[in-house]
């Protein structure tokens, strides 16, 4: 049995694919429910509303290819010009000299906008050892590049607002403000190897701040 909050039809199908995936039963069961709060404004809420309209029709296979065609037609119509708000398609059209702005298009194209997020080094595996080595450095030039590459393996991205609150509360601190300004590491027990980041007072954050 799979329980899935109402979402876009593509997300519902993805969850349904996890139901009875071993094929041990004749049929699995997928139950959709409406959560207390709607999805965050933007793409997630638009997809949810498009799915809500389609799912109201009875006696139809809602996971058939034809339904997905209808779902994405409705979703793309709803988005309108926002589908290409950075004018990437214009950059990929040859100009009067047959030049194409590949570099500008590449710079503007991001599936996930990471400008609202900041990195945080969490404590697990070898990270405590690597962090201690970085903390003791007195000169950035003396830092072996492999140490920073190692630290990336233990780094997550979190929303700036969450990052700032954790820093204000002393949950995270700069590892070496003189040599590595802005490089924050976990100080208290806010990370679990099993479930990830354990944010204190989770309910005080907006859902948009926790989606990356």
């Amino acid at each position: 049995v799979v329980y899935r909050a109402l979402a876009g039809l593509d997300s519902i199908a993805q969850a349904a694919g996890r139901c009875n995936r071993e094929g041990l039963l004749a049929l699995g069961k997928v139950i959709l429910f409406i959560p207390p709060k709607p999805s965050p404004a933007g793409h997630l809420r638009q997809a949810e509303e498009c799915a809500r309209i389609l799912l109201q029709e009875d006696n139809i296979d809602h996971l058939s290819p034809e339904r997905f065609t209808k779902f994405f037609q409705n979703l793309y119509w709803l988005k309108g010009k926002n589908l290409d708000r950075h004018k990437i398609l214009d950059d990929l059209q040859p100009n009067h000299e047959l030049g194409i702005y590949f570099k500008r298009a590449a710079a503007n194209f991001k599936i996930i906008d990471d400008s609202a997020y900041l990195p945080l080094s969490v404590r697990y595996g070898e990270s405590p050892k690597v962090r201690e080595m970085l903390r003791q450095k007195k000169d950035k030039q003396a830092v072996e590049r492999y140490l920073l590459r190692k630290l990336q393996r233990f780094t997550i991205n979190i929303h700036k607002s969450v990052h700032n609150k954790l820093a204000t509360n002393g949950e995270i601190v700069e590892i070496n403000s003189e040599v590595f300004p802005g490089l924050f590491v976990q100080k208290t027990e806010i990370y679990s190897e099993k479930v990830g980041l354990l944010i204190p007072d989770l309910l005080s954050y907006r859902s948009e701040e926790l989606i990356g």
Side-chain angles (χ1 to χ4, degrees):
V1 178
V2 167
Y3 290 84
R4 181 64 170 91
L6 182 62
L9 204 59
D10 53 338
S11 297
I12 293 172
Q14 184 181 37
R18 298 189 175 99
C19 185
N20 192 29
R21 66 193 318 171
E22 297 87 0
L24 301 179
L25 304 174
L27 287 175
K29 189 173 184 179
V30 178
I31 298 175
L32 292 178
F33 64 91
I34 299 177
K37 296 181 180 179
S39 298
H43 173 79
L44 295 178
R45 187 174 299 177
Q46 290 174 340
E48 179 184 310
E49 289 303 315
C50 288
R52 186 194 301 270
I53 293 173
L54 291 176
L55 291 171
Q56 289 176 352
E57 300 181 32
D58 296 328
N59 302 319
I60 291 177
D61 179 4
H62 291 294
L63 298 184
S64 67
E66 295 76 18
R67 300 302 286 173
F68 283 97
T69 299
K70 185 68 174 177
F71 168 74
F72 284 111
Q73 284 176 342
N74 292 348
L75 181 60
Y76 292 156
W77 178 85
L78 195 62
K79 286 182 171 296
K81 295 181 179 179
N82 285 332
L83 280 173
D84 189 22
R85 62 180 180 272
H86 296 300
K87 308 297 182 183
I88 293 173
L89 291 180
D90 291 343
D91 289 337
L92 297 178
Q93 296 297 321
N95 58 23
H96 64 283
E97 298 178 345
L98 299 182
I100 298 178
Y101 300 103
F102 288 113
K103 187 174 182 180
R104 188 165 68 188
N108 288 330
F109 179 78
K110 287 186 177 180
I111 294 179
I112 298 177
D113 182 9
D114 58 3
S115 62
Y117 296 84
L118 291 173
L120 169 65
S121 171
V122 294
R123 187 168 58 234
Y124 73 94
E126 294 182 274
S127 64
K129 179 181 178 180
V130 177
R131 286 162 48 171
E132 182 59 24
M133 294 173 70
L134 290 173
R135 189 184 65 80
Q136 294 178 5
K137 296 294 182 180
K138 303 298 183 182
D139 183 359
K140 196 169 186 177
Q141 298 298 323
V143 176
E144 297 86 348
R145 187 171 295 180
Y146 85 94
L147 286 177
L148 294 175
R149 287 201 300 266
K150 268 193 169 185
L151 194 65
Q152 286 181 343
R153 297 171 54 194
F154 311 107
T155 299
I156 60 175
N157 289 322
I158 59 177
H159 197 277
K160 286 181 179 179
S161 60
V162 178
H163 194 284
N164 292 337
K165 289 177 183 178
L166 292 177
T168 300
N169 294 339
E171 306 282 353
I172 62 177
V173 295
E174 284 185 287
I175 189 173
N176 188 333
S177 59
E178 294 184 2
V179 182
F180 305 105
L183 179 56
F184 280 79
V185 298
Q186 167 192 351
K187 182 180 179 182
T188 60
E189 301 301 322
I190 59 170
Y191 188 83
S192 164
E193 294 185 23
K194 293 183 178 180
V195 299
L197 191 65
L198 304 173
I199 301 177
D201 302 322
L202 181 64
L203 295 179
S204 67
Y205 295 94
R206 293 181 292 111
S207 57
E208 294 91 329
E209 297 176 317
L210 305 175
I211 298 177

